[in-house]
Amino acid sequence: MDQPRIGEQEPQEEMTFIDHLEELRWHLIRALGSIFVFGTIAFLAKGFVFHDIILAPSRTDFLSYRLMCELGERMGSTALCITDMGFTIQSRQMSGQFAMHLLVSAILGLACAFPYAFWEIWRFVSPGLYPEERKNSRGAVFFVSVLFIMGLLFGYYVVSPISINFLAGYQVDPTILNEFDLSSYISTLTTLCLSCAFMFEMPVIVYFFTKAGILSPELMKLYRRHAIVVILVISAIITPPDVISQILIALPLTLLYEVSISVSRSIRNADLKRLNENNTI
């Protein structure tokens, strides 16, 4: 049996299907472990998490409400100032608060660990790409993480407070009090925030679909009207039944769609330029 010479690397054996499953298992374990760690931290920091994060949009001193009031005062009007939320939050089930504590901890764990968890999954996927594909997808973890955080903050500071304020102040009759269950409030808040976070990933999805030849700027322009209708439908599904919330989500998504067209055009032009250079050579 020939021994490898000094300085030579031994040829790497091709991984079997079981080896790939084993590697995937450890990537998933580390990703889920990060979610568990952040979720545990959120669970232990109960007072800060609920008072300063989850329940903050239900109080008039929330940052978004204060900025709206300052904007209204500069315009010479107090119409944008919110002095009373007009609702109370209560828990009507024996295990309601504990169940919501667990749910919120898990959601915050996912939100905080998302960049690392995605990086773990990307570490498993990227070795299977061709060198050119790895080169073109450089920075994917960074852009996915940034867009996720931007969408999360947009949902928390813009969409959620306006939606909560609208729903809290809506009454069909003055004799009916708005007393919301804790689970209903948290479900509305988390759905809006996570929906915005994941939908802000549109440019990244378009990037990879364009590289794969599935999408093109011409195709996206052709179906622009259809896409806007789909965006409005999605906005209506994930938001409370009020027009303001739907518009707040539909507008940035429409803008992201236009940005995605530019991303697709840039990718297509770069590919065509590279192809022409190769043909010239």
Side-chain angles (χ1 to χ4, degrees), residues 11 38 63 152 213-214 240:
F38 280 103
L63 176 62
L152 197 65
I214 300 175

Side-chain angles (χ1 to χ4, degrees), residues 199-221:
M199 287 192 297
F200 265 53
E201 302 293 345
M202 186 189 302
V204 176
I205 296 174
V206 169
Y207 174 87
F208 285 106
F209 277 15
T210 302
K211 294 300 296 183
I214 300 175
L215 283 179
S216 66
E218 292 78 15
L219 184 64
M220 295 184 68
K221 286 182 179 180

